[in-house]
Amino acid sequence: MRSLRHFLAISLAILGFIPFFVEAATTAPDLVSYQGRLYDSSGNLLGGTGTTYCFRFSIHTTASGGSQLWPAGAPTPDQLQVRYGVFNALVGTADSLAGYDFSANPTSYLQIQVAPFSGSCGAYETLTPRQQIVSAGQSKNADTVDGADVGTGANNILKLTAAGAISIAGNATIGGGALGLGTASSQTGSIAFSNSTNANTLTIQSGVTSASYSLTLPPAQGAANSVLTNDGSGILSWSTSGCPACVVNGSSISALTNTVQPTADVPALSLRQTTAVGPTTDIFSISDSPGTGLLLRVTSMQGIILSPAAGQAVATSLATGSSATFAATGAPSTDLLSVTNAGQLPTVDNIAGLAVSYTAANNANTHSGANISITPGTSTGTIHGVQVSATAASATGGLLNGIMLNGPGVAGLGTDTALKIGTGWDRGIQVDSGNIYLKSVTPGIAPGAAITGYSQLYAADRLGISMPHFQSGDASTEIIRPSARDTHLVTVPASSAGAMVSDGATHSTLGTAALINNQVVGIATRFTSSAGVRNIGYSTTNTFYYRGTAGVGSASGFSYKSRIYLDGVLTNYTSTTTGTRMFFGMMSGTLGNLNVDHPVLHRVGFSYQPNTDAANFYFASCDNTAGGCVASRQNTGMALAVDKVYELEMRCELGCTTVYWEIQNLTDNTRQTGSVNTTLPAAATSLRAVSGMYALSTTARSFGLKQASYETPY
């Protein structure tokens, strides 16, 4: 980077340093516009097409040295763009100019410091000389006079309105003398109180709280305790009868009738307690007839207390456009609205502390049964839109839900969402304790239709257990497997050799292996038979999978998954004389054992025997007995076809009393599932993973292995 030393050429001829304080603006901005041009020590313009630099601005008493007037501390950096040397700054953005009085320092100078910016500000260089702050032409028509604004608010200089009147928003105080209306004491004057609502008030207030004050009116009429009455035309006069509103001290009013129509400013009834009473003493109360209980009480400390009798309710009826509001007139120090049933436990079902029943309108508007609007403060405190605090754990057998969202129960024509998190949040959901539970839905069916731009996470029963599923916006679904990794993973390399690559165990192959890549199956390894080698396929050399119980063998339980495809002519597989025996699963033997129908071994998996299995895949479990190896076979219902991609999967949990299986035709998007719990391989017998076939004739046939994985889950 070029040196920043001596690189500033100030362009003051057009903009320079101008405080924009003009009379036309109601409130002058606390910002000062400044434009400059940035050079390096060789006179080259800096910034190029746009580079960010750090700027610090401060105001001083002299062109050099002197005292700093603004800001009070170290200047706050401001990042500005410099394009071909030119930068524009609004001084007062990083450090406010609101408290700085230019009139108090008529001669002052602006100091500029610049530093390179690369994620943070580098070392600053002070530019010289400082620029003197001078006035602009419009400053002759100033926004303030000696620091004071023109107007009718606090600390303003009064101005006349267009009609030549003086308008005062606050109070007018006369320190001595009197306020006279008219030109002579014999003339009549008037005082008019006006506002937008015509709610006119005359207040007489002594400057000392304990002092008394008096209002002198024309000579009193009648006896003491006379009251002022209104004759209906606004003229007050003294009266001792027909009192529409009376002050009663020390006694109760058994009956009160008001014959005067109340207005917006005059209540029909006003009660005021003038003597001190206890904090729970009733100032005012209303009892139901014939006086069986207090319905409404007003006390000095407890406020308003509503106590309806059993079976009664407190109801507020709101007309169109009306609302009920609880407004704090001071800083809250307790809950603004509290609902409690302390000491009064419910005795019937479905009782709520706060219930909202809201029916939306039959239109396209947005409605809310409850709407909470929150405004975070400027501090680092925590604010909750809704907070549910459990004060104790639930009892044995109990169930405590922080929030329960009940759905409509039946499918509707629209979209019903239990919880929707809108945009703008940094975190959608944060879980600090507990777990997230997903209840399984119908296998293979996502809870909702696929939506472009959205993904779904749901649970469904697969292979005998509930597994989380992930569905993307294009409706493709992936199962999130329960184990962390496959013990033995076989992949297909993108090389012409076609050799299989495995992780976790040694393996062996039979037949000719070659790479295939076409539109139907993608990349796979094709195993092809020949006259001399009729067994083809893949198997693990090691036998470290067990249908065991806990503590037997090196592990208990297993899972198997293989993705295959068949090519060629279907009769090469289904013919009873020239077809092909197949097995994909776990067995105690090797690929060579497929040379007979239903080999008597410890085995479990998917098989096809052309002499007995028609045209479907079968699932077989064998306990090394001839009868068991035949009797336990299940027809999967999945047709065997060529040029189709199949995914074969089975799972045996801890203890392995049941083997769950699933076969999918990924080409046609069909699926079959099932389970077997009889004639399983012996508990302690070690098994190897096998994916292969045996040709009944010398006719070449092949199958493609796209992927295989075998694991011990526990």
Side-chain angles (χ1 to χ4, degrees), residues 110-137:
L110 177 68
Q111 176 175 286
I112 304 173
Q113 295 174 301
V114 184
F117 177 80
S118 178
S120 62
C121 298
Y124 282 91
E125 182 173 348
T126 302
L127 307 184
T128 57
R130 295 172 181 167
Q131 301 299 309
Q132 184 175 1
I133 301 174
V134 297
S135 62

Side-chain angles (χ1 to χ4, degrees), residues 333-344:
S333 58
T334 186
D335 296 335
L336 296 182
L337 177 62
S338 177
V339 178
T340 177
N341 69 322
Q344 304 293 330

Side-chain angles (χ1 to χ4, degrees), residues 538-632:
Y538 167 93
S539 69
T540 59
T541 303
N542 308 82
T543 54
F544 44 39
Y545 301 100
Y546 297 85
R547 200 285 297 175
T549 57
V552 177
S554 60
S556 294
F558 55 79
S559 66
Y560 169 99
K561 183 174 73 170
S562 187
R563 186 173 295 181
I564 66 169
Y565 81 97
L566 306 178
D567 59 3
V569 181
L570 181 60
T571 55
N572 288 344
Y573 304 96
T574 60
S575 172
T576 58
T577 58
T578 62
T580 307
R581 301 187 187 100
M582 305 181 197
F583 184 79
F584 303 95
M586 299 286 185
M587 66 161 55
S588 58
T590 65
L591 288 171
N593 294 114
L594 299 180
N595 59 354
V596 297
D597 287 339
H598 314 298
V600 179
L601 299 167
H602 293 282
R603 58 185 173 87
V604 58
F606 299 89
S607 70
Y608 178 76
Q609 306 290 337
N611 293 320
T612 59
D613 293 349
N616 288 346
F617 282 98
Y618 275 69
F619 190 84
S621 176
C622 186
D623 59 358
N624 201 32
T625 64
C629 291
V630 175
S632 65

Side-chain angles (χ1 to χ4, degrees), residues 22-38:
V22 295
E23 192 273 338
T26 302
T27 301
D30 295 319
L31 298 171
V32 175
S33 178
Y34 188 91
Q35 185 182 74
R37 183 166 293 176
L38 212 57

Side-chain angles (χ1 to χ4, degrees), residues 163-392:
I166 296 178
S167 176
I168 302 176
N171 299 323
T173 302
I174 300 176
L179 174 63
L181 302 177
T183 58
S185 60
S186 61
Q187 293 181 337
T188 301
S190 64
I191 301 177
F193 302 90
S194 302
N195 58 32
S196 59
T197 61
N198 291 325
N200 306 324
T201 303
L202 173 62
T203 301
I204 302 175
Q205 177 66 54
S206 172
V208 181
T209 303
S210 60
S212 60
Y213 54 88
S214 62
L215 173 64
T216 302
L217 297 173
Q221 302 175 11
N225 296 324
S226 296
V227 297
L228 286 173
T229 61
N230 192 333
D231 65 355
S233 62
I235 299 177
L236 299 177
S237 62
W238 297 110
S239 174
T240 57
S241 62
C243 174
C246 302
V247 177
V248 179
N249 292 321
S251 62
S252 301
I253 300 177
S254 59
L256 178 63
T257 300
N258 184 17
T259 59
V260 179
Q261 178 66 34
T263 66
D265 304 309
V266 179
L269 176 64
S270 178
L271 302 177
R272 181 171 62 90
Q273 177 65 35
T274 59
T275 59
V277 296
T280 60
T281 301
D282 293 345
I283 298 175
F284 171 72
S285 65
I286 297 177
S287 299
D288 63 343
S289 180
T292 58
L294 293 174
L295 300 181
L296 172 65
R297 299 172 56 205
V298 179
T299 69
S300 61
M301 292 296 292
Q302 295 174 313
I304 299 175
I305 303 173
L306 299 176
S307 303
Q312 296 177 330
V314 177
T316 300
S317 299
L318 302 177
T320 301
S322 61
S323 62
T325 303
F326 291 87
T329 58
S333 58
T334 186
D335 296 335
L336 296 182
L337 177 62
S338 177
V339 178
T340 177
N341 69 322
Q344 304 293 330
L345 302 182
T347 58
V348 296
D349 195 17
N350 289 326
I351 297 299
L354 177 63
V356 177
S357 178
Y358 186 82
T359 303
N362 296 322
N363 53 43
N365 296 333
T366 300
H367 308 272
S368 300
N371 183 27
I372 299 176
S373 177
I374 57 175
T375 302
T378 57
S379 64
T380 58
T382 300
I383 181 171
H384 303 287
V386 176
Q387 178 174 325
V388 178
S389 300
T391 59

